[in-house]
Amino acid sequence: MDMIWLASYPRSGNTFLRTILWHCFGLRSGSIYARDLGGNQELEKYVGHVEHSPGGRVLFPPNNPALVKTHEYPVNAKPAIYVVRDGRAASVSLWNFYNRSASLLEIIEGQHRFGTWANHLAAWKPWERKDTLLLEYEELRGNLPLALEKLSKFLQRDIVSRQVPDRGEIAGVDGRWVRNKSDWRDAFTDELLQRFDEINGEMMKQMGYEP
């Protein structure tokens, strides 16, 4: 596979996936977004990030497939690794990433460039899309050995390490792209949860997330 999308709804574990690919498989990755990690070179080293060249291209090392991060809706049928995260946690994380400049309700309702959590999943359909590996963020965090085996099989690459940097260590050099652990329940009111369920409830059930 010459080119593979690293796709997800924003704040769903894409940066952590890229960190795993670098530390556990020795594979660097790029992004469709220039200065994707805010120009933080120390964070780029943790993630294995390849920045855009002056000409706007991402130049990968030899024998390194073009692993490209995107939060956009699919534009072609290229292979993909799609990371899904509990939509409530992703929404709160995106709200914080935007420095709460939009309300959490606006995030839930998709009043931003990436739309709703459910619509993003419906566009990619990672559970049935050809040449696509669906990974849960919760699995990446809670059962890394299993996730590594899935990645190894999909990428047809050997695992070179089973260790990744500590989350707090990475958050210490950034704090925006990688945050310390938090709980979405601290941000959701009953009214917000009801609205979230109206929009995303069916997809949450389909993806196996508890109410």
Side-chain angles (χ1 to χ4, degrees), residues 39-40 46 51 69 72 80 86 88 91 111 128 168 171 175 198:
N40 186 328
Y46 274 105
E51 187 50 70
K69 168 187 170 178
E72 307 302 323
D86 185 316
R88 296 161 295 194
S91 295
Q111 297 181 43
E128 66 180 22
E198 289 171 356

Side-chain angles (χ1 to χ4, degrees), residues 65-185:
L67 299 164
V68 182
K69 168 187 170 178
T70 183
H71 294 316
E72 307 302 323
Y73 286 35
V75 295
N76 57 36
K78 295 286 188 182
I81 301 171
Y82 189 100
V83 185
V84 62
R85 183 185 188 185
D86 185 316
R88 296 161 295 194
S91 295
V92 170
S93 185
L94 184 57
W95 178 49
N96 285 314
F97 185 80
Y98 284 152
N99 295 317
R100 305 189 179 188
S101 57
S103 69
L104 182 52
L105 177 61
E106 289 173 318
I107 298 295
I108 291 168
E109 292 181 337
Q111 297 181 43
H112 54 90
R113 61 175 292 187
F114 300 108
T116 68
W117 178 85
N119 282 348
H120 198 276
L121 274 158
W124 277 91
K125 293 183 172 62
W127 56 87
E128 66 180 22
R129 187 177 184 272
K130 185 180 178 182
D131 297 325
T132 298
L133 174 64
L134 173 60
L135 292 174
E136 295 179 0
Y137 171 77
E138 294 79 11
E139 180 179 79
L140 294 178
R141 285 292 181 189
N143 193 349
L144 182 59
L146 178 59
L148 290 179
E149 294 300 330
K150 291 180 180 179
L151 283 165
S152 178
K153 182 178 179 180
F154 182 77
L155 295 167
Q156 298 182 3
R157 296 274 181 154
D158 292 334
I159 301 167
V160 299
S161 172
R162 296 180 182 272
Q163 301 294 321
V164 293
D166 178 74
R167 177 178 183 164
E169 178 184 344
I170 302 176
V173 303
D174 174 65
R176 187 176 184 220
W177 267 263
V178 180
R179 294 173 55 85
N180 285 312
K181 186 177 181 180
S182 59
D183 192 330
W184 61 265
R185 295 171 184 82

